[in-house]
């Protein structure tokens, strides 16, 4: 068929092709309008509503009332179960038949008492395949479980707004249709060519080839005549089959479905999100044997195993086939900043053990695409858990500076390195479009060093996952000239290729600091307090139980209960829970875990250990004298050094308030411009003496922040204690305000030091560069220190994580008041303690690290008989080495695990002394795997170990 040539008007040809596949324009005569053929109403539709999330077995026994399309159901967070009776017409024999279902609530299809398909309009899943090629007339009964929430919860007005509790949901479409697969195939051809024209632009010859090809396809295609389709498809195939050269970049496509374990929906809804998303993945694997899907978070697998055992069996099958790939190795995708070092170890311990038990494999890659920064100790922890590769993309969100690499080696605090990859497409939820592939190629910051990249495709955050259309898109352009090559791949295949070509890769040393979301160090203070307290309690109960076991071998070590409690704590360390970027329902669940059964069980277990355990406290002989107290500190003199700590003309313990209105991410972000809005609360009640002296001296006062909020504080000086404590209660009812406390100190240094997991690092106190400026608000754990030669000041705390040290002013962030996604965030009464500790010499020599432990791990009194002989179970000869953990080994009675780390940043030899009857000692990794080549001699002096700076050492002690 001959066509006259047309003008080279790119716009008209492109728009013509776009309209030909539009779902809005000209659907009466374009190709999109032929996607579905005949339709047929349902035989019947009935429903019942429940406020609870119930099993299918329970739901199927309920009484269903007739309903119709367009009816509304709710309110938010309820569940509507539908009973769908349908009869497929005999005239449709030999055709593909789908159930079309469009609702604004997430839905799951149940057939023969099993979940078979997720239906989510926002996730482009609105049809369930009843038959690929109907053989016989069928009368079927299906059930559809619809959650009264969307893919991203039920935000009122915007996605991250607090949920609308009274929202109603509806079913907009429910009918049987004939699906025209040949139309779907052609639509994909057209769509990909149109996108090639757009993405390659007017400068690329290949873009014009695509333009004229797609225009000719429109000429050839008669939507009303399917016999024209083959010739059109052949023309597209000629274009797509023009191959790349050998040097072209390769994109490793992996299906993915990032599901936040809680965020804009509660934990319980996440269970159903996993079911809906993963059963859909299984259906895709049945049709696409090349399809590979990556999936993290052992907790979510555990939920699916409990709630959907049939689905879990299918997942196990496809794991064996190599299509369903467990990744990450952790219990949840945790926050990368706030959990303690031991918590991070337990994330991997619980995750890796689960994956090995259920799937017979350990993960080789750490997978954390959506966390708000990454601790400098993660490389060592990864390596200690058998992981040498790391994938994330979150640093592409940096507000100020562009991170310079996509593929590189990340070197941690101790020198451990892991091969790290940031997918250049800057997303973990691509759609398999041309745009995704072009972006992956163009954004690669390591051109010439790395010629392979990952592309993770599938709807994410709220679940959903990949679709058949995404797979079809990627299959079509797997080797098409002008685009990068595409291969369905596994993480192992990707990292193997990257490692093979790694000779020219650069190395990034230290933390991966996200220049955004630094309000999460402070938001939802009660969650952060609960986390710190429960980390402390689990530490203490494990020690108490371990030592009780060896004082009396009949003591039942509570291994199962401890695992249960650890898993609850690890769950709350998910990257939208402990940071505080979640809705009120999630906060309530988290606090329930902390404050309810969790604490009661722990405390009961501690006090049921009827053996005396001596815990050594470090003593410092310095005496601190506070000359003048007026709520603020006018003077803080270290008598032994005759050294004033407070800067001239300034006041310490100065509470300050800031306006705190970010650009969008309310609970997440604090912007640098908030620093320009500083003001000071006023003293409302004068200082009065609480304890006049002796072993303790203290004064108390009250500050009025506003007509709604107050601060009441007791300032405490204990004899022989090297720091002053500030025991604080805040009644907080503010809106978009930020409360901090400042200590301007008489110290000058270009860097401040902050405790992180199993060590510490330095950050600048100046703002010379944009990289320095972006750290105007940083995170740390139990202490921060500002020191010059031979003198310094440390700021300690028992539950805070946000800091700022600018020039000589040390600031601790205390409370925020965001209104989204939780309108009640941080409202109420708060209790916390911080301390100020001036010292001579370095902070290491002044025992700042030990003092911070003392503040966070108070001595616990345990009742014992009068004739109990005091004893000390363990001691370490070097002050630089911290004995962090004592626990029973996993699945090994009669064996203890002890974990130590070098805390000063020094190379040191230390001896671990113990009163326990240790027969053998072996080095093990963080998964407690014994190193058969590394026995450690046990002598009468103890166990002698060599440490490198910030090195973590774990030992198995066999009694």
């Amino acid at each position: 068929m001959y066509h006259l040539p047309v003008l080279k008007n790119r716009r008209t040809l492109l728009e013509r092709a776009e309209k030909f596949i539009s779902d809005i324009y000209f659907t009466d005569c374009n190709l999109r309008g032929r996607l579905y053929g005949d339709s047929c109403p349902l035989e019947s539709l009935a429903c019942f509503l429940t406020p609870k999330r119930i099993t299918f077995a329970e739901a199927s026994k309920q009484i269903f009332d007739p309903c119709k399309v367009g009816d509304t159901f709710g309110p938010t967070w309820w569940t509507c179960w539908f009973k769908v009776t349908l009869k497929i017409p005999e005239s449709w024999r030999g055709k593909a038949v789908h159930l079309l279902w469009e609702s604004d609530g997430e839905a799951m299809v149940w057939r023969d008492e099993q979940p078979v398909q997720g239906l989510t309009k926002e996730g482009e899943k609105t049809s369930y395949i009843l038959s690929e090629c109907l053989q016989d007339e069928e009368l079927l009964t299906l059930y559809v479980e619809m959650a009264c929430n969307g893919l991203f919860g039920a935000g009122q007005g915007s996605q991250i707004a607090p949920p609308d509790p009274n929202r109603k949901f509806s079913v907009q479409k429910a009918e049987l249709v004939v699906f025209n697969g040949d139309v779907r195939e052609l639509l994909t051809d057209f769509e990909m060519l149109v996108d090639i024209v757009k993405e390659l632009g007017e400068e690329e010859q290949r873009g014009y080839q695509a333009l004229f090809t797609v225009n000719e396809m429109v000429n050839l295609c008669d939507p009303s005549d399917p016999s024209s389709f083959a010739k059109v498809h052949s023309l597209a195939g000629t274009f797509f089959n023009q191959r790349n050269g050998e040097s072209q970049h390769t994109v490793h496509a992996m299906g993915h479905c990032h599901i936040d374990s809680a965020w804009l929906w509660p934990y319980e809804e996440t269970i159903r999100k996993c079911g809906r998303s993963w059963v859909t993945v299984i259906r895709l694997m049945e049709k696409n044997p090349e399809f590979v899907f990556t999936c993290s978070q052992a907790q979510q697998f555990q939920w699916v195993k409990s709630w959907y055992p049939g689905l879990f069996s299918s997942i196990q099958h496809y794991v064996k086939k190599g299509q369903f790939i467990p990744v990450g190795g952790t219990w949840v995708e945790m926050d990368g900043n706030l959990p303690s070092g031991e918590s991070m170890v337990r994330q991997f311990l619980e995750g890796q053990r689960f994956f090995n038990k259920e799937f017979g494999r350990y993960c080789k890659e750490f997978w954390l695409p959506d966390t708000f920064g990454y601790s400098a100790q993660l490389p060592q922890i990864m390596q200690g858990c058998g992981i040498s590769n790391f994938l994330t993309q979150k640093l592409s969100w940096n507000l100020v500076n562009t991170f310079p690499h996509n593929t590189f080696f990340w070197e941690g605090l101790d020198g451990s390195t892991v091969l790290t990859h940031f997918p250049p497409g800057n997303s973990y939820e691509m759609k398999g479009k041309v745009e995704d592939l072009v972006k992956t190629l163009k954004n690669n910051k390591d051109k010439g060093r790395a010629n392979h990249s990952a592309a993770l495709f599938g709807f994410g955050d709220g679940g959903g996952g990949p679709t058949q259309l995404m797979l079809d898109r990627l299959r079509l352009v797997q080797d098409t000239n002008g685009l990068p090559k595409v291969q369905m791949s596994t993480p192992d295949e990707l990292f193997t290729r990257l490692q093979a070509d790694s000779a020219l890769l650069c190395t990034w040393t230290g933390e991966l600091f996200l220049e955004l979301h630094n309000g999460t160090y402070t938001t939802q203070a009660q969650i952060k307090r609960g986390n710190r307290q429960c980390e402390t309690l689990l530490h203490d109960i494990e020690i108490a139980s371990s030592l009780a076991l060896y004082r009396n071998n009949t003591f039942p070590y509570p291994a199962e209960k401890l695992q249960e409690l650890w898993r609850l704590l690890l769950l709350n360390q998910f990257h939208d829970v402990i940071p505080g970027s979640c809705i009120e329902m999630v906060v309530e669940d988290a606090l329930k875990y902390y404050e309810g059964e969790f604490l009661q069980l722990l405390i009961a277990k501690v006090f049921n250990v009827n053996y005396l355990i001596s815990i050594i406290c470090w003593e410092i002989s310095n005496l601190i004298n506070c000359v003048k107290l007026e709520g603020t500190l006018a003077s803080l003199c270290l008598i032994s050094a005759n050294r004033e700590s407070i800067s001239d003309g300034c006041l310490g313990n100065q509470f300050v308030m800031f306006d705190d209105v970010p650009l969008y991410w309310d609970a997440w972000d604090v912007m640098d411009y908030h620093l320009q809005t500083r003001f000071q609360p006023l003293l409302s009640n004068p200082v009065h003496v609480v304890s006049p002296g002796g072993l303790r001296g203290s004064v108390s006062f009250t500050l009025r922040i506003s007509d709604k909020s107050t601060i009441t504080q007791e300032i405490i000086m204990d004899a022989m204690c090297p720091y002053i404590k500030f025991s604080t209660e805040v009644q907080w009812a503010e809106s978009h305000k930020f409360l901090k406390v400042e200590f301007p100190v008489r110290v000058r240094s270009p860097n401040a030091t902050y405790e992180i997991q199993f060590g510490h690092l330095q950050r600048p106190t100046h703002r010379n560069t944009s990289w320095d400026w972006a750290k105007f608000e940083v995170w740390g754990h139990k202490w921060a220190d500002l020191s010059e030669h031979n003198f310094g000041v440390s700021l300690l705390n028992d539950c805070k994580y946000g800091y700022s040290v600018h020039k000589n002013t040390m600031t601790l962030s205390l409370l925020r008041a965001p209104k989204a996604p939780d309108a009640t965030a941080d409202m109420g009464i708060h209790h916390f303690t911080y301390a100020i500790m001036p010292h001579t010499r370095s902070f290491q020599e002044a025992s700042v690290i030990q003092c911070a432990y003392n503040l966070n791990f108070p001595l616990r009194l345990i009742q014992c008989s009068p004739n109990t002989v005091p004893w000390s179970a363990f001691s370490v000869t070097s002050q630089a080495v911290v004995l962090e953990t004592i626990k029973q080994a996993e699945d090994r009675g009669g064996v203890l695990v002890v974990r130590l780390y070098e805390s000063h940043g020094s190379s040191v030899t230390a001896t671990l002394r113990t009163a326990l009857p240790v027969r053998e000692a072996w080095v093990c990794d963080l998964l407690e795997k014994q190193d058969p080549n590394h026995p450690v001699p046990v002598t009468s002096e103890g166990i002698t170990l060599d440490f490198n700076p910030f090195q973590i050492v774990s030992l198995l002690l066999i009694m």
Side-chain angles (χ1 to χ4, degrees), residues 83 207 313 346 688 718 855 864:
K83 189 174 184 178
S313 295
R346 300 305 176 92
H688 68 276
D718 287 331
L855 182 66
C864 55

Side-chain angles (χ1 to χ4, degrees), residues 116-147:
V116 292
Q117 173 74 55
L119 293 172
T120 308
K121 189 175 181 180
E122 296 161 289
E124 297 182 3
K125 297 178 183 69
T126 56
S127 68
Y128 167 59
I129 301 172
L130 291 166
S131 174
E132 295 279 11
C133 182
L134 184 67
Q135 300 300 315
D136 298 299
E137 178 184 8
E138 291 190 55
L139 181 65
L140 293 174
T141 298
L142 305 174
Y143 290 86
V144 177
E145 175 191 14
M146 188 185 80

Side-chain angles (χ1 to χ4, degrees), residues 411-605:
E411 181 178 274
L413 200 61
D414 74 315
S416 298
T417 60
V418 290
L419 179 57
T420 301
H421 182 65
F422 296 177
N426 299 335
S427 174
Y428 49 75
E429 51 171 337
M430 292 181 166
K431 306 301 183 292
K433 293 188 173 184
V434 173
E435 173 191 5
D436 300 330
L437 303 177
V438 172
K439 187 183 293 185
T440 295
L441 178 64
K442 288 184 176 180
N443 287 1
N444 179 21
K445 301 184 188 71
D446 296 284
K447 296 180 178 74
R449 296 190 180 97
N451 206 29
H452 295 261
S453 298
L456 310 181
F457 65 94
F459 288 94
D461 288 332
T467 65
Q468 183 63 52
L469 177 57
M470 295 176 193
L471 290 166
D472 293 341
R473 289 167 178 159
L474 291 169
R475 188 182 293 119
L476 194 60
V477 294
Q478 57 188 318
D479 191 1
T480 294
N481 184 27
L483 299 177
K485 295 179 181 178
V486 180
Q487 68 178 62
M488 199 63 65
S489 188
T490 67
D492 192 41
E493 290 170 343
L494 168 68
F495 281 106
T496 297
R497 292 304 303 264
L498 293 176
Q499 184 69 55
D501 300 329
S502 63
L504 296 178
L505 294 182
C506 300
T507 297
W508 179 274
T509 299
E511 67 180 327
L512 295 174
F513 185 86
L514 178 65
E515 297 175 358
L516 196 70
H517 292 358
N518 34 17
T520 61
Y521 315 148
T522 306
T523 304
Q524 298 287 9
Q526 298 285 27
I527 287 181
K528 292 169 172 61
R529 183 171 185 257
N531 177 75
R532 183 80 65 85
Q533 288 183 335
C534 290
E535 286 177 335
T536 301
L537 284 165
L538 278 169
H539 168 276
D540 288 356
I541 186 57
E542 284 187 331
I543 291 178
S545 298
S546 298
L547 301 189
L549 182 63
Y550 289 100
R551 295 285 282 183
N552 183 337
N553 57 18
T554 65
F555 175 78
Y557 188 90
E560 290 185 7
K561 179 56 66 177
L562 282 169
Q563 182 186 66
E564 175 189 338
L565 297 174
W566 264 112
R567 286 181 172 184
L568 283 176
L569 177 63
L570 300 179
L571 173 60
N572 276 353
Q573 290 173 349
F574 179 74
H575 65 252
D576 276 309
V577 180
I578 189 174
S581 49
C582 51
I583 61 173
E584 184 179 8
M585 292 176 71
V586 179
V587 176
E588 291 171 351
D589 284 344
L591 296 181
K592 178 179 66 178
Y593 294 154
Y594 291 141
E595 297 171 0
E597 182 184 11
F598 194 104
L599 291 182
Q600 293 172 15
L601 285 170
L602 280 171
I603 293 169
K605 188 62 69 174

Side-chain angles (χ1 to χ4, degrees), residues 934-955:
H934 204 157
V936 183
V938 181
T939 69
S940 58
E941 294 297 315
I943 301 167
T944 300
L945 302 164
D946 293 326
F947 288 84
N948 293 322
F950 305 117
Q951 183 182 2
I952 306 164
V953 174
S954 299
L955 298 176

Side-chain angles (χ1 to χ4, degrees), residues 395-427:
L395 263 66
S396 66
W397 284 46
N398 271 8
L399 191 64
V400 181
N401 299 285
T402 300
F403 193 80
H405 307 298
N406 284 103
T407 304
F408 60 100
F409 286 104
W410 180 21
E411 181 178 274
L413 200 61
D414 74 315
S416 298
T417 60
V418 290
L419 179 57
T420 301
H421 182 65
F422 296 177
N426 299 335
S427 174

